[in-house]
Amino acid sequence: MRSPSRKWQVARYALPSLTLAALGLPVYLYVPLWLAELGGYSIVGLVFFAAIFSYVLNDTPMGAWIDQQGRLCHRS
């Protein structure tokens, strides 16, 4: 189990990327809708939405899994 100070260190390290990701969030949400409203781009909008939605759902679990795999294999 991580110590509380380690958790805050990780949170401080991730904070700049959180703010940058929050700036891009409206683009990820509204570009597919805008493309769908233009007509003929509904498939493109659906693909963009599916890609972003799958990224949102899979990013944290995959990162945790990769971190766990790194702890299990000790390289010298």
Side-chain angles (χ1 to χ4, degrees), residues 62-73:
M62 288 299 289
W65 180 73
I66 289 170
D67 286 344
Q68 183 67 25
Q69 297 301 317
R71 285 189 208 126
L72 293 178
C73 86

Side-chain angles (χ1 to χ4, degrees), residues 4 12 33 49 59:
R12 285 193 312 264
L33 296 173
F49 178 76
D59 184 50

